[in-house]
Amino acid sequence: RFFSTMGVLLPYASTKLASIHALSTLLLLLLIAAHVPSIHGFAYAPNFITKIIEQSTGVTPVGLLDIGGKSDTTDDDATGTLADITASPVADESDMAMLKGPITTRFPPEPNGYLHLGHAKAVSFNFAVARAFAAGNGRCHMRLDDTNPSKEDDEYVQSILEDVRWIQQGLAPFGDDGENQSGEEEVGPWFGNVRKTSDYFQLIYDAAVYLIQSGDAFIDELSAEEMREYRGTLTEPGKESPHRNRPTEENLELFEKMRAGGFADGTYALRAKIDMASPNLNLRDPVIYRIKHESHQATGDEWCIYPMYDFSHPIADAVEGITHSLCTLEFEDHRPLYDWVAERIVKGGFVESKPRQIEFSRLNLKYTILSKRKLIQLVEEKYVTGWDDPRMPTLSGIRRRGVPASAIRLFCERMGISKSDSNIDFGILEDCAREVLDEESPRAFAILDPLKVTVTNLSGSSLEDFEIPRHPKRE
């Protein structure tokens, strides 16, 4: 059995440990030993997402695994590739046009908790895709989706940035975007500065005003419970709100009063006007702005209304020039709304082009909790010592176990990308950690507790040198 200290493998003795002096000597020898070169060159296999990006940009990816000379994916998940993008009822032929400009992805977590192993897949893949399309000036943005001040905290912001830096350590950063990177917080493997959805609050507000003016949004005063009743079910259409056809001028006046703090939480909301009979519940006049009289960790008390994620997400993507918005499968049903918003802000002149959302399966581990809500409960009810407790499946907890970042990336790459949900055995992650540690960890041969031996049948004196390899699998 072994435990890891500073990336070094040490024997774990269940009986009496060696003396402190002996351990100190061993550590000193290990630290001065020449380090074995690290594993590099991990790569994803070609998948349906890299195929979509290649077909929509004309750029060939590099650095993917060679899978026997096959140029096309053969998984059932990959069939239809480009058709997956245009499956939305609001998509049009412009989706099929070649994209121009840098191929840009992003990692946009909400700062309402620490990152866990499920996020590791999203981090690794978004950064890996951008690197694979270096010929298309590939880049990956780091954005914090801070639209819900009641659950967000600066502690989470700092931990997220630290974890992303850690999991991408040893890989070349994307550099800056010509803007001044002010402060240590901004520096990282991502392209340019750290971005936040709150940076675009004014533009998102202006886009909402535009939707009201164009007749695509209205102010509603139904309660949350009434909205659920009016929404309908999967088998029954919803009912239109009695306020759906409120005059435009009245909608604008009420929205301005919402912005000015003239109403209490929950009394009014801005809803998109789409289709209450749509089979997709997300298109049944969804709420896109709500009132929240809470201080925001980045903007303070400047705002008392905040956009919903489904509204702010496509706007932030479009403003940043994201070409491919890669997200997990739970957002597949939200894609029609994503496209609906993106098309209208393009039409309104807020952005030049709309990004494409593509979904892949999330990472699930057997017997492992990856729900932020449940992980928060473990922390708040003190079942663990904190988010970085080594028993936690958070990246900071995994880091404290001694697992190298390269082992996490290797694990994610071996799991691959598909649209099929699966539960992965935790032992596979442990295998990756052992493989990386075996390859990277320096060794040293030393006699910690020498035993004096008198040789009686050796005439004269002699000195013999021995050469012992530092790694048992190498010369």
Side-chain angles (χ1 to χ4, degrees), residues 61-271:
V62 296
L64 300 180
L65 286 178
D66 183 358
I67 53 174
K70 294 180 181 179
S71 59
D72 297 324
T73 26
T74 57
D75 291 346
D76 292 339
D77 307 317
T79 58
T81 54
L82 285 174
D84 282 340
I85 299 178
T86 57
S88 164
V90 295
D92 56 37
E93 293 181 359
S94 63
D95 286 335
M96 302 298 290
M98 283 289 181
L99 292 174
K100 297 181 180 180
I103 296 173
T104 310
T105 61
R106 83 287 176 269
F107 176 59
E110 182 181 355
N112 62 352
Y114 280 49
L115 298 184
H116 54 63
L117 284 169
H119 294 104
K121 180 177 181 178
V123 175
S124 296
F125 187 56
N126 273 285
F127 277 82
V129 164
R131 291 190 176 96
F133 286 92
N137 199 15
R139 57 188 62 175
C140 184
H141 290 185
M142 178 71 221
R143 183 172 74 235
L144 298 165
D145 175 44
D146 53 349
T147 58
N148 189 0
S150 61
K151 295 183 178 180
E152 297 162 1
D153 192 274
D154 188 62
E155 175 192 352
Y156 300 143
V157 170
Q158 300 307 321
S159 72
I160 288 170
L161 299 181
E162 179 184 1
D163 286 343
V164 174
R165 291 188 188 101
W166 172 69
I167 204 169
Q168 289 290 298
Q169 69 180 12
L171 301 177
F174 286 100
D176 61 59
D177 53 6
E179 298 180 6
N180 182 30
Q181 291 192 332
S182 55
E184 186 177 339
E185 175 185 302
E186 304 292 347
V187 179
W190 45 81
F191 179 76
N193 290 338
V194 174
R195 295 160 169 87
K196 299 179 179 180
T197 302
S198 56
D199 296 338
Y200 316 123
F201 274 175
Q202 184 59 54
L203 185 144
I204 296 171
Y205 175 82
D206 293 340
V209 171
Y210 169 76
L211 291 184
I212 295 175
Q213 293 172 336
S214 63
D216 290 315
F218 66 98
I219 300 295
D220 201 0
E221 51 193 279
L222 293 178
S223 66
E225 184 177 344
E226 289 172 329
M227 284 188 191
R228 280 192 293 270
E229 292 176 359
Y230 274 68
R231 193 182 189 191
T233 65
L234 290 171
T235 57
E236 297 178 356
K239 297 186 299 181
E240 292 185 356
S241 167
H243 314 290
R244 194 175 195 267
N245 297 314
R246 193 192 299 270
T248 298
E249 291 303 321
E250 185 179 349
N251 281 322
L252 289 170
E253 183 180 347
L254 288 172
F255 193 49
E256 186 176 345
K257 287 183 179 179
M258 286 171 57
R259 167 72 177 89
F263 302 117
D265 291 6
T267 53
Y268 289 92
L270 180 65
R271 298 178 66 180

Side-chain angles (χ1 to χ4, degrees), residues 121 361-366 415 418-425:
K121 180 177 181 178
S361 62
R362 63 188 298 170
L363 176 63
N364 298 305
L365 290 169
K366 291 181 179 179
M415 293 308 97
S418 74
K419 283 200 169 187
S420 299
D421 277 327
S422 58
N423 283 322
I424 309 301
D425 194 303

Side-chain angles (χ1 to χ4, degrees), residues 8-35:
V8 175
L9 287 178
L10 298 176
Y12 176 89
S14 57
T15 57
K16 183 178 179 181
L17 291 174
S19 67
I20 295 177
H21 175 74
L23 283 174
S24 300
T25 303
L26 178 58
L27 281 173
L28 180 61
L29 287 167
L30 288 168
L31 289 173
I32 63 176
H35 284 267

Side-chain angles (χ1 to χ4, degrees), residues 379-400:
V379 174
E380 292 180 343
E381 297 182 12
K382 301 190 183 305
Y383 289 101
V384 293
T385 58
W387 286 95
D388 62 348
D389 189 305
R391 296 168 293 179
M392 292 280 276
T394 56
L395 295 185
S396 55
I398 295 295
R399 184 162 64 246
R400 284 192 64 193

